[in-house]
Amino acid sequence: MRHAVYAMPGNQDLADALARRRRMARLALDLHRFPDGEGLVRVEEPPAGAEAIIVCTLNQPDEKILPLLMAADTLRELGANRVGLVAPYLAYLRQDARFRSGEAVSSGIFGRLLAEHFDWQVTVDPHLHRLRSLADAGMLQGRAISAAPALAGWLREQVRLPLLIGPDEESAPWVESVGALMAAPAVVATKRRLGDREVQVQLPDLSRWPGHSPVLLDDIISSGHTLLRSIEGLRALGMPAPWCVAVHGLFADDALERLRAAGVAGVVTTNSVPGETARIDLSELLAAALPVR
């Protein structure tokens, strides 16, 4: 079966890299916006019976999802045998339960929607809490891969004597995985959330690792408030300026500017979400994970 790779707007570089690594054709996909906000999707026709792969990271998902689904259905109508989705960042997984009466459980709603339009989905380090896997969100053919090897490779080359610090308990899986790959010390702070934009962070004892470079490591940087509190704590301990490293760089509002103003050594993320901090390449890991026939 032949394969064709398509990129939703903003995903061209990663789509090109995947196509090169797997020696697949890279075909055109265009999105036109009318003045009233509606979108018109146009795809280059796939070879008959081909497997089509759409690359679309799903930060800012509300503006992307309808054109994405239109592209998937159009490819199928034009002769694609299967249509897969590579979404390095997968949105709407945080709401995996009904915490208050009447709330939508978005993880299942979004997961089932993607499963209806795509034969398979590949993502990177989805933010699962109570869910055991993507299948619990309705994506029975979903595949989640870890960015830990890419993070460890970058840190090994760029940071001398790293001390990996998870800013909260939820970051523990990433900190422990990367620490094990690097044989680097790894610890996790405790966090108390006081509101959407207010948290308290308690760092563990770091005196055992004098001379090490602190690396605040997490899966997602969104508002940046947890990292900012962690940076304040490290400064109070007299530690060197830390690196802030994450899988997904969402950077809500002015989060990136505030992190840099806090005096960090650098802010680095993977290219799961394109941007100026996306210096860690995931294309090799993603290419190896494609469940193509």
Side-chain angles (χ1 to χ4, degrees), residues 242-255:
W243 286 89
C244 293
V245 178
V247 181
H248 309 296
L250 303 185
F251 301 114
D253 301 325
D254 59 347

Side-chain angles (χ1 to χ4, degrees), residues 47-126:
E51 183 159 6
I53 301 166
I54 303 179
V55 182
C56 181
T57 200
L58 284 168
N59 62 315
Q60 302 296 320
D62 290 6
E63 66 186 47
K64 296 179 178 181
I65 187 61
L66 185 56
L68 173 63
L69 300 184
M70 289 195 292
D73 283 13
T74 302
L75 286 167
R76 208 180 298 277
E77 291 171 8
L78 293 176
N81 184 59
R82 297 206 309 166
V83 181
L85 172 65
V86 176
Y89 173 71
L90 190 58
Y92 278 122
L93 292 178
R94 67 162 66 95
Q95 185 76 10
D96 55 11
R98 184 169 290 110
F99 302 103
R100 292 182 294 180
S101 176
E103 287 184 339
V105 183
S106 62
S107 60
I109 296 169
F110 198 62
R112 291 190 297 272
L113 181 64
L114 293 178
E116 288 174 7
H117 293 266
F118 293 94
D119 294 284
W120 51 262
Q121 308 83 30
V122 172
T123 190
V124 181
D125 286 323

Side-chain angles (χ1 to χ4, degrees), residues 10-11 15 78 88 91 117 122 124 136 168 170-171 179 191 211 214-215 217-218 223 229 232 236:
N11 296 267
L78 293 176
H117 293 266
V122 172
V124 181
D136 287 345
D168 56 27
E170 292 176 357
S171 65
K191 177 176 72 175
V215 177
L217 182 64
D218 209 348
S223 70
R229 299 292 85 76
E232 291 173 358

Side-chain angles (χ1 to χ4, degrees), residues 204-281:
D205 181 14
L206 305 179
S207 61
R208 294 171 51 196
W209 299 284
H212 280 65
S213 300
V215 177
L216 291 166
L217 182 64
D218 209 348
D219 63 330
I220 297 175
I221 302 177
S222 183
S223 70
H225 287 92
T226 301
L227 288 175
L228 287 167
R229 299 292 85 76
S230 301
I231 294 166
E232 291 173 358
L234 290 171
R235 186 184 300 117
L237 294 174
M239 297 287 288
W243 286 89
C244 293
V245 178
V247 181
H248 309 296
L250 303 185
F251 301 114
D253 301 325
D254 59 347
L256 180 56
E257 290 73 16
R258 285 187 286 110
L259 287 172
R260 287 172 169 165
V264 296
V267 182
V268 178
T269 61
T270 76
N271 59 347
S272 70
V273 178
E276 59 183 295
T277 66
R279 294 161 57 186
I280 302 174
D281 181 34

